[in-house]
Amino acid sequence: MTADPYPGYAWLREHDPVCPVGGPHVPGRMWLVTRYDDVRGCLADRRLGSAAPVNPDPHPPGLSHLDDPGHARLRRLVAAAFTPAAVSRLRDRTARTCAHAVESFAGRGRADLVAEYTREVPVAVMHDLLGVPEAERAPAADVLDMWYRAKFQQPRDEAKLAELVGYVRKLVAYKRSHPGDDLSTRLIASGALTGDELEVMAMTLIGAGHITTIQFLGTTILRMLGHPARRAALLGGDIDWSRAINELLRLDSPSHVAEYRYASEDMTIADACVGEGEVVLLSLAAANRDPNRFPDPDALDLTRDARPHLAFGHGAHTCLGSHLVKLETEIAITTLFGRLPDLTLDIPSGEVDWGYAPTFRGPQALPVTFTPHEPRTSSLPGDATDRGNSTR
């Protein structure tokens, strides 16, 4: 993937804001929408459904591929776990997860922050939320690989899909026999989901809970490495965290496009005539840098009010995990730079390899150097118990 797709987005916004694009794995015509007002309007337009005319998977569709009333029914079952109050109760555990990840490489003086931090933390946090202890988890790299290859790679990897389904079934079976104070147990106890629906919900939560957060943590760390003065102001409390994270989400949207939308009737978007059944692809990343909505959109301004950016979507399918992403980001950045303040990127920033196109965008590796520190194993009281038993 090109390191900088934004000049292309800018050209499209100006010259061809709703343009037909090739889609070898999508039957019929597909349209790419890039202007902020058009994207936001489409996200809220009930004529653009999320349910594919034909479900290609051997299991029921997940939240992001359902329309109401099915979407609303399933969303209600998990929404309480992602409110600001519920997410705030995860702060201490997330802080311990971040601290353990940093301590695993703090003594070496060098690390790859993608492989050892930005990938590890979101996968661990989501498994904690579901009540899955470490002994039952696949390695974070395997979880990302399964999910990306099975769900977003085109053509998808059928072997990885089977592996992902098997992994989720194993986790659900474990939670049936090991109930605890966690989201999985509450979903099982509710009796509101069929067996297939429960597996799909777990699959959706694991995937949505890590794949975009990995990208966002990577781009945010890269921004912080490149702007030490702004980093110091943020960590020193001179800049509001909420405002800063919204700006970072706007500038480096982890999801570059929303899930496919399908026109339920003939309609017009801007000046384009979209036919019934055609696919509409909404570029969140292009919309978030639209100069008609955000002045000087390519500049990082941590004091900017970047709301309402579209990094989390808009409308009925607005990301449930937005509060969790913001919490993880604040804690991850504070923990990392607080422990290793002299972190330095070990390659020129222009040589960072970007991946996961076309749906996502994030660095695939962030090699860094820093002054080695002795591990602080004694600074995390009670942690051994927590990490061995997520279901207490």
Side-chain angles (χ1 to χ4, degrees), residues 100-344:
H100 266 285
V102 172
E103 294 309 319
S104 71
F105 56 77
R108 293 205 313 264
R110 60 177 57 250
D112 173 5
L113 293 181
V114 171
E116 300 179 76
Y117 196 59
T118 70
R119 193 167 60 198
E120 294 290 323
V121 169
V123 172
V125 168
M126 187 49 59
H127 281 75
D128 284 342
L129 184 66
L130 293 172
V132 180
E134 287 188 12
E136 301 298 320
R137 303 175 190 174
D142 293 350
V143 175
L144 174 60
D145 188 59
M146 281 189 292
W147 228 88
Y148 179 75
R149 290 174 183 261
K151 292 293 184 178
F152 291 98
Q153 177 179 283
Q154 294 290 349
R156 73 181 184 190
D157 187 325
E158 297 295 339
K160 285 295 180 183
L161 177 60
E163 186 179 346
L164 175 62
V165 171
Y167 177 64
V168 170
R169 284 177 177 166
K170 174 187 172 185
L171 298 187
V172 170
Y174 175 86
K175 290 310 304 175
R176 288 189 187 278
S177 59
H178 296 79
D181 182 15
D182 53 67
L183 179 55
S184 296
T185 299
R186 290 193 289 274
L187 288 173
I188 292 169
S190 74
L193 297 173
T194 66
D196 284 347
E197 286 178 332
L198 183 61
E199 291 172 358
V200 171
M201 181 65 79
M203 187 184 303
T204 299
L205 292 171
I206 290 172
H210 84 270
I211 197 164
T212 55
T213 311
I214 289 171
Q215 317 309 319
F216 183 53
L217 287 180
T219 56
T220 298
I221 289 171
L222 187 58
R223 291 285 180 187
M224 294 295 99
L225 289 169
H227 295 88
R230 297 181 203 185
R231 180 179 78 230
L234 180 60
L235 297 178
D238 296 328
I239 297 175
D240 177 72
W241 266 102
S242 177
R243 185 172 288 238
I245 291 176
N246 278 322
E247 169 67 353
L248 289 159
L249 283 162
R250 179 200 70 79
L251 190 67
D252 294 305
S253 304
S255 294
H256 269 224
V257 293
E259 298 280 3
Y260 292 162
R261 297 296 195 271
Y262 303 87
S264 62
E265 60 184 67
D266 293 346
M267 58 188 298
T268 301
I269 303 175
D271 294 327
C273 297
V274 177
E276 179 181 355
E278 293 181 345
V279 177
V280 177
L281 197 58
L282 305 173
S283 178
L284 307 177
N288 280 339
R289 293 207 190 185
D290 188 336
N292 290 323
R293 178 61 185 82
F294 302 103
D296 197 10
D298 296 326
L300 174 66
D301 179 1
L302 297 180
T303 65
R304 184 203 304 262
D305 184 357
R307 299 170 301 171
H309 64 76
L310 299 177
F312 294 127
H314 175 65
H317 285 269
T318 299
C319 177
L320 265 173
S322 60
H323 301 296
L324 182 57
V325 172
K326 292 178 179 180
L327 178 83
E328 285 184 65
T329 303
E330 177 186 345
I331 294 173
I333 297 301
T334 302
T335 302
L336 178 66
F337 286 100
R339 182 71 169 114
L340 306 172
D342 63 345
L343 275 169
T344 302

